[in-house]
Amino acid sequence: MNPLLTLSLLIAAGLLVSRLARLARLPNVTAFLVGGLLAGPYVSGLVSAEAAASLDVLTQAALGFISFSIGAEFRASYLKRIGTKPLVITAFEALGAVVLVDAALISLWALGVPGFDLPMCVALGAIAAATAPAATLMVIRQYKAKGPVSEMLLPVVAMDDAVGLVAFAVSMNIAQALQSGAPATVTSMLLSPLAEIGGSLVLGVALGAALSLCARFFHSRGNRLALTIAAVFLALALCDQWGLSNLLCVMMIGAVVTNLCPCASTLIEQTDRFTPPLFLLFFVISGAELNLGVLPSVGLVGAVYVVVRVLGKWLGAMAGSRLVNAHPNVQKYLGLTLIPQAGVAIGMAQLAVARLPGAGSRIQAIVLAGTLIYELVGPVVTKAALSRAGEIGKGV
């Protein structure tokens, strides 16, 4: 299928369903996912699997700009005002999901329940930490949410994947050791993931500083937007080539620009005007790639993973919020906004396929099924939580 025709069909499907979703007061994110699902190869077949996969570069670009938008929220004045609270809450909600999922799955394995494999249980626990920032950001933007929960949510989802990457690297090494019988080393468990995160942040700082400097020599909005696009694309390419985290790297570019660049507000505003069609395509393509056929194969393991991960996020966020004495609404509702899971988790599952022969395919099926549920239900729950907190429409 012609790529331009594919793009046209996917955009049309997303826009059409978003119109219908307004009648049910559903977030645009959910509508775009459903539109892609209906147009994709696993429902109507209007867009083939090969055609959807050929648009991978667009999904990478969208993830890059999602990360840039989150990083742009990290203004020094804002971080000084909120202090260390997001760090504590992030550690509790991310590790809460890891510990609870690991405990539940390993307990069922120890009881001899059929279908449970120890390396698979350990790997799934680490993947549970990841949260999709894209869906959360889109809901906040669509409904102009503003308040304590929204303010705390952005840094938490931004730092969430950093914790998830470390947990996954450590857990994957343990899972491989359990499957092969080889001993886990300190280098592979701790030093390698820390080097990946450190390298990503250093590269992000360098590119962000370069972008801030170059923006001073270009005064038109179009040229500054072109510079930003070039910086994000360069970061994505270098991270892919050097094995770094593109999410963390581009997020750091946004953070550096918002604090160092004199024209940061103009540059970020132009980027925000450019990205809505890209974000629409990201979610529609993600919906088209969701295979409903994986649902029957996940069984009890998948059901436990889906339910216990949400419980771990909710309890962890509540515990961390209470520990740092966060706003009462943050304690009540923050955990409910951390349900969505997509790109990073799917990437982890793909790595598991390569590194855990035998168990990897089941891990991928479980994560894809979870993604389908989380991405359809998560934005709706996020909207409901922000509405209950009284933050919908406050940013208008």
Side-chain angles (χ1 to χ4, degrees):
M1 181 181 288
N2 184 292
L4 294 177
L5 178 59
T6 302
L7 288 174
S8 177
L9 291 173
L10 290 174
I11 291 173
L15 291 175
L16 177 61
V17 177
S18 70
R19 290 294 91 187
L20 298 175
R22 281 204 170 189
L23 300 176
R25 298 185 178 181
L26 294 175
N28 282 344
V29 174
T30 305
F32 297 154
L33 286 163
V34 172
L37 183 64
L38 294 176
Y42 305 107
V43 179
S44 69
L46 193 62
V47 174
S48 67
E50 294 77 14
S54 68
L55 302 175
D56 181 60
V57 66
L58 284 177
T59 61
Q60 290 185 43
L63 277 172
F65 281 103
I66 288 163
S67 304
F68 181 85
S69 296
I70 292 174
E73 299 291 335
F74 287 3
R75 294 178 298 277
S77 57
Y78 166 69
L79 293 176
K80 185 177 180 181
R81 177 161 57 87
I82 62 175
T84 59
K85 289 182 179 180
L87 287 171
V88 176
I89 294 172
T90 301
F92 271 78
E93 59 88 7
L95 296 179
V98 173
V99 171
L100 226 60
V101 171
D102 269 341
L105 294 179
I106 292 173
S107 297
L108 291 171
W109 167 80
L111 292 172
V113 178
F116 286 77
D117 175 70
L118 186 57
M120 178 187 67
C121 295
V122 172
L124 282 172
I127 295 174
T131 302
T136 302
L137 183 66
M138 284 284 285
V139 171
I140 290 175
R141 282 188 176 180
Q142 180 185 352
Y143 295 104
K144 307 293 192 297
K146 189 174 179 64
V149 180
S150 303
E151 285 195 348
M152 189 64 72
L153 179 56
L154 287 172
V156 167
V157 296
M159 294 182 287
D160 181 274
D161 286 317
V163 179
L165 288 170
V166 176
F168 180 74
V170 174
S171 297
M172 185 55 64
N173 188 264
I174 295 173
Q176 285 181 293
L178 290 170
Q179 191 174 69
S180 66
T185 64
V186 174
T187 300
S188 58
M189 286 178 59
L190 293 176
L191 298 183
S192 294
L194 288 176
E196 177 184 333
I197 292 170
S200 305
L201 296 178
V202 169
L203 178 60
V205 170
L207 291 176
L211 175 57
S212 301
L213 178 64
C214 292
R216 301 185 182 194
F217 300 99
F218 296 90
H219 303 291
S220 75
R221 291 172 178 263
N223 286 338
R224 285 173 173 172
L225 175 60
L227 274 175
T228 308
I229 294 172
V232 171
F233 285 1
L234 177 60
L236 295 174
L238 292 178
C239 287
D240 184 59
Q241 186 172 344
W242 295 341
L244 301 176
S245 170
N246 50 20
L247 182 71
L248 293 176
C249 179
V250 182
M251 183 185 70
M252 185 54 67
I253 292 175
V256 170
V257 166
T258 198
N259 287 288
L260 291 186
C261 185
C263 58
S265 58
T266 304
L267 191 148
I268 293 167
E269 179 191 354
Q270 282 297 103
T271 305
D272 288 344
R273 291 177 182 271
F274 160 77
T275 50
L278 195 59
F279 289 175
L280 182 156
L281 277 170
F282 171 76
F283 288 106
V284 175
I285 293 169
S286 298
E289 293 178 336
L290 291 175
N291 185 358
L292 295 175
V294 304
L295 291 177
S297 67
V298 300
L300 180 61
V301 183
V304 172
Y305 170 81
V306 168
V307 173
V308 176
R309 175 184 172 270
V310 174
L311 190 61
K313 290 278 183 185
W314 178 58
L315 292 175
M318 185 184 297
S321 301
R322 288 184 176 178
L323 181 65
V324 299
N325 197 27
H327 191 281
N329 279 350
V330 174
Q331 298 180 27
K332 280 194 242 180
Y333 300 115
L334 182 67
L336 297 175
T337 65
L338 300 172
I339 294 175
Q341 189 177 50
V344 175
I346 293 172
M348 290 177 178
Q350 289 171 341
L351 286 174
V353 172
R355 296 171 62 179
L356 288 177
S361 57
R362 287 198 70 203
I363 292 172
Q364 188 179 42
I366 291 166
V367 171
L368 286 173
T371 296
L372 174 63
I373 296 167
Y374 292 141
E375 287 294 278
L376 294 178
V377 174
V380 179
V381 176
T382 298
K383 180 204 168 185
L386 293 175
S387 182
R388 285 288 187 95
E391 300 187 9
I392 295 293
K394 290 291 187 69
V396 175

